[in-house]
Amino acid sequence: MSLVKLTIKGISYSQTQNGAYALILNEVDGDRKLPIVIGAFEAQSIAIALEKEIKPPRPLTHDLFKNFADRFDIVVKQVIIHKLVDGVFYSSIICERDKIEEIIDARTSDAIALALRFSAPIFTYKNILDKAGIYLKGNPLDPEPAEPEQPLATTDSFGLSSNPKSGDATYTQKSLSDLHEMLENAVQNEDYERAAKIRDEISRRES
């Protein structure tokens, strides 16, 4: 399976979940965005890493991991978002020490927070982006407005209901054509957290 490189576009506050944020990833050679709902602590850690000038007085957990890794000559080479199950992303951190490579399982939000600190690239597989990416119409070379990078919520899921296979009650009564129209409107309004939920309902019906 081919890998697709991703970059971080920014972080936006969730309109429907208190304390939740959506981390927005862009594919490097395309228009699609991959929104992932994450926790407030992880959002703050990612936002601090994006803002190079911000230096916490004491190291955050991800900073501590970076300091620990540096002390023992461990390097994070890359992060791969390798699986999507019931709206939850699974990631791996590819590390290297003494030319020996190790693969460590991690939550996607933690993996990205560490990737930023190690200046490591972030990838996902094409089939995951095909399934979960949100396609943006228009010229990909046009400048895009910056997303607010503010302290971000708690899971790497899309905020599904307690029974992830049942779909969100808000959208289960809608037709597929209505859902596609709602998805387009959510993307145009840059409400990526809502768009992710609608996309999950569409994927659930079409799978």
Side-chain angles (χ1 to χ4, degrees):
M1 290 183 288
S2 59
L3 287 172
V4 179
K5 189 173 183 179
L6 303 170
T7 59
I8 297 175
K9 184 178 190 296
I11 298 167
S12 63
Y13 189 76
S14 169
Q15 302 298 313
T16 59
Q17 289 179 270
N18 289 332
Y21 296 76
L23 172 65
I24 313 301
L25 302 175
N26 273 2
E27 64 173 324
V28 170
D29 297 319
D31 306 337
R32 288 175 295 184
K33 296 184 181 184
L34 192 66
I36 303 174
V37 178
I38 67 175
F41 171 78
E42 292 80 6
Q44 182 180 52
S45 181
I46 291 170
I48 287 174
L50 289 169
E51 294 289 341
K52 303 295 185 182
E53 294 78 16
I54 299 177
K55 298 291 183 184
R58 302 293 294 162
L60 300 176
T61 302
H62 298 110
D63 297 320
L64 175 61
F65 184 97
K66 174 66 163 58
N67 295 339
F68 184 90
D70 288 344
R71 185 66 58 91
F72 290 95
D73 297 321
I74 300 169
V75 178
V76 171
K77 305 292 290 184
Q78 62 183 3
V79 163
I80 300 177
I81 304 171
H82 64 85
K83 186 167 65 172
L84 174 61
V85 179
D86 292 335
V88 179
F89 290 101
Y90 293 78
S91 294
S92 295
I93 301 173
I94 315 300
C95 303
E96 185 178 272
R97 180 173 184 266
D98 294 334
K99 297 183 179 180
I100 299 174
E101 191 173 275
E102 299 286 348
I103 301 175
I104 300 174
D105 182 47
R107 294 188 308 162
T108 297
S109 53
D110 289 329
I112 291 175
L114 291 173
L116 285 170
R117 285 161 171 80
F118 284 88
S119 299
I122 303 166
F123 296 93
T124 191
Y125 289 110
K126 182 178 181 298
N127 65 323
I128 292 178
L129 195 58
D130 289 342
K131 179 180 179 181
I134 296 173
Y135 182 78
L136 297 183
K137 297 180 179 178
N139 187 347
L141 299 180
D142 288 342
E144 296 179 304
E147 296 285 347
E149 293 175 359
Q150 47 188 328
L152 266 163
T154 75
T155 82
D156 295 328
S157 74
F158 291 127
L160 296 176
S161 61
S162 56
N163 180 1
K165 294 184 179 180
S166 66
D168 191 310
T170 308
Y171 307 117
T172 52
Q173 304 303 317
K174 303 291 185 180
S175 68
L176 266 177
S177 60
D178 287 340
L179 289 172
H180 282 289
E181 183 177 347
M182 292 168 66
L183 176 60
E184 185 173 343
N185 289 335
V187 170
Q188 288 176 353
N189 293 327
E190 296 193 354
D191 186 352
Y192 300 115
E193 191 254 351
R194 178 168 173 262
K197 289 183 179 181
I198 298 170
R199 177 202 57 215
D200 282 349
E201 176 63 21
I202 293 173
S203 297
R204 185 184 69 83
R205 296 193 195 181
E206 294 181 343
S207 62

